[in-house]
Amino acid sequence: MMKGLKKWRLFSMLAALMFFLAACGQEQISTLTPRGPVASEQFNLLILSTAIMTFVIIVVVVIYVLALMKFRRSKVGEDTIPEQVEGNTKLEILWTVIPIILLVILAVPTVYYTYTQAEVAGMEEVDEEGNKTALTVNVNAHLYWWEFEYPDLGIVTSQELVVPTGERVYFNLMAADVKHSFWIPSIGGKLDTNVENINKFYLEFDKESEGLKDGVFYGKCAELCGPSHALMDFKVKSVSREDFDAWVAAANEEPSAPESDLAVQGEELFVQNGCIGCHAVSAVGGAVAQGQGPNVATFGDRNRVAGYLDYTEENLKDWIKNPQEYKPGNNMPEYPNLSDEELDALAAYLMGLSVENKQ
């Protein structure tokens, strides 16, 4: 009975382990499938440190097992005392030098990558006409959403970041309320966003995201920031430089007028209910003050509602009626008194706001 129970427990542990490991190979979110030079360098460092750790564990286990087998009392007798090695110069040199060599092997690439990946001087480089040569994005983290400002392009979006592939993208990271952490697992390690200072780093995407699940890379908040920390997601679309320039041109246009009568009614409700006071509907100069809501100029281009819900009309209407049910602790007010017809109109208006459809 006990033997069968132990096997059942072992089977359950292996099943749970396989369940979690099954999520480790998804290209759009896994650190184990790096995309881009930054993630690849960090992945190689992970492999190196794991190999050194495994080597040390194997050596220690082998010595431990050999000692147990060689000096068992049943084999050497009760009165036998093994040879004492204290003061043995050769052994002391050996177990001092080997750890130093292992630490040097690990320290050299760690220090090298720490400094090279923190190099952001390219952020300020300009061409002969004085224009910035690299793309810079200001990331402002809020409870519980993300704002992306392209200061040299005059564009502000939220929740979905669009970047070109094959070139460095520099980030200024800050927070509007509490400490968060900006992390795109497949592209590079996380870096904190703080209220009191700006952190800077760069990432590089070597692949367009179109072929991935949902057509995007997944981004996360990696700092425990409140009750909805785990739901503070964002998405990243990496596109060719040509497509990125087309997206920038489209984002700099004023939003298109709603086409259907229902969407026109939704636009009127959006203004009447004060939504326009917190949510900009144009990507041009649409940055909002701290504590207000995300820019919705690209709402029709997103693939999630509130960062993590499936992009459906029903989820959007449920979110508008009771956002606290889906993201506890967020700052959006509830609208429980809106009728079904009014919610249909608001959904039609918001889901019609698009930059990509202008391209």
Side-chain angles (χ1 to χ4, degrees), residues 55-73 82 95:
F55 170 74
V56 171
I57 291 175
I58 291 175
V59 170
V60 171
V61 169
V62 168
I63 293 174
Y64 181 73
V65 172
L66 287 177
L68 284 178
M69 294 176 64
K70 186 175 181 180
F71 299 108
R72 285 185 301 173
R73 289 189 182 278
W95 59 49

Side-chain angles (χ1 to χ4, degrees), residues 200-215:
K200 301 180 179 183
F201 77 155
Y202 72 87
L203 297 172
E204 187 172 336
F205 299 72
D206 69 351
K207 176 181 179 178
E208 295 181 28
S209 60
E210 186 176 6
L212 302 176
K213 179 185 177 183
D214 297 328

Side-chain angles (χ1 to χ4, degrees), residues 9-318:
R9 288 178 175 174
L10 179 61
F11 176 78
S12 300
M13 290 176 60
L14 289 175
L17 182 62
M18 291 178 65
F19 174 78
F20 285 108
L21 290 178
C24 294
Q26 296 187 27
E27 193 175 7
Q28 74 277 9
I29 195 172
S30 175
T31 56
L32 301 182
T33 53
R35 305 304 316 184
V38 174
S40 296
E41 290 169 357
Q42 294 173 352
F43 179 74
N44 292 337
L45 195 58
L46 174 68
I47 295 297
L48 176 63
S49 58
T50 302
I52 291 175
M53 177 192 69
T54 304
F55 170 74
V56 171
I57 291 175
I58 291 175
V59 170
V60 171
V61 169
V62 168
I63 293 174
Y64 181 73
V65 172
L66 287 177
L68 284 178
M69 294 176 64
K70 186 175 181 180
F71 299 108
R72 285 185 301 173
R73 289 189 182 278
S74 60
K75 185 175 181 179
V76 299
E78 292 290 337
D79 300 329
T80 300
I81 298 177
E83 180 184 356
Q84 303 301 295
V85 296
E86 65 266 21
N88 187 312
T89 304
K90 291 182 179 178
L91 286 177
E92 290 189 351
I93 291 175
L94 189 66
W95 59 49
T96 300
V97 170
I98 289 179
I100 291 175
I101 292 174
L102 294 178
L103 287 175
V104 169
I105 293 173
L106 184 59
V108 170
T110 299
V111 172
Y112 174 76
Y113 288 135
T114 298
Y115 279 92
T116 56
Q117 293 191 353
E119 177 56 59
V120 293
M123 182 184 292
E124 304 300 331
E125 293 180 356
V126 296
D127 59 19
E128 295 178 352
E129 299 176 351
N131 299 316
K132 294 283 184 65
T133 56
L135 177 66
T136 298
V137 179
N138 295 336
V139 178
N140 200 358
H142 300 252
L143 288 171
Y144 298 92
W145 57 279
W146 298 86
E147 182 178 85
F148 304 113
E149 179 185 13
Y150 301 74
D152 302 315
L153 304 176
I155 297 172
V156 176
T157 66
S158 62
Q159 293 301 95
E160 289 200 350
L161 174 68
V162 180
V163 296
T165 58
E167 55 189 86
R168 289 186 177 184
V169 179
Y170 293 90
F171 294 92
N172 291 314
L173 306 176
M174 63 203 86
D177 32 53
V178 300
K179 181 188 288 289
H180 302 278
S181 190
F182 181 78
W183 187 28
I184 310 172
S186 299
I187 307 301
K190 69 185 182 73
L191 190 62
D192 282 350
T193 66
N194 302 319
V195 176
E196 66 274 9
N197 70 290
I198 296 175
N199 284 330
K200 301 180 179 183
F201 77 155
Y202 72 87
L203 297 172
E204 187 172 336
F205 299 72
D206 69 351
K207 176 181 179 178
E208 295 181 28
S209 60
E210 186 176 6
L212 302 176
K213 179 185 177 183
D214 297 328
V216 293
F217 288 102
Y218 282 47
K220 307 286 292 184
C221 175
E223 187 74 43
L224 183 59
C225 56
S228 292
H229 150 72
L231 309 177
M232 191 175 164
D233 296 353
F234 64 96
K235 307 294 183 295
V236 187
K237 292 179 181 177
S238 57
V239 298
S240 66
R241 167 46 80 169
E242 181 181 12
D243 288 344
F244 179 75
D245 290 340
W247 179 82
V248 170
N252 273 294
E253 297 177 7
E254 289 299 317
S256 303
E259 296 181 355
S260 67
D261 292 340
L262 190 63
V264 171
Q265 182 187 350
E267 183 180 28
E268 293 172 354
L269 289 168
F270 191 80
V271 176
Q272 291 170 7
N273 285 281
C275 309
I276 192 68
C278 294
H279 301 281
V281 297
S282 171
V284 182
V288 296
Q290 291 184 359
Q292 295 182 298
N295 187 307
V296 294
T298 61
F299 194 89
D301 304 327
R302 298 180 189 173
N303 60 17
R304 288 289 187 277
V305 173
Y308 77 100
L309 295 169
D310 289 341
Y311 190 80
T312 65
E313 188 176 317
E314 289 304 314
N315 280 340
L316 174 56
K317 291 189 290 188
D318 290 342

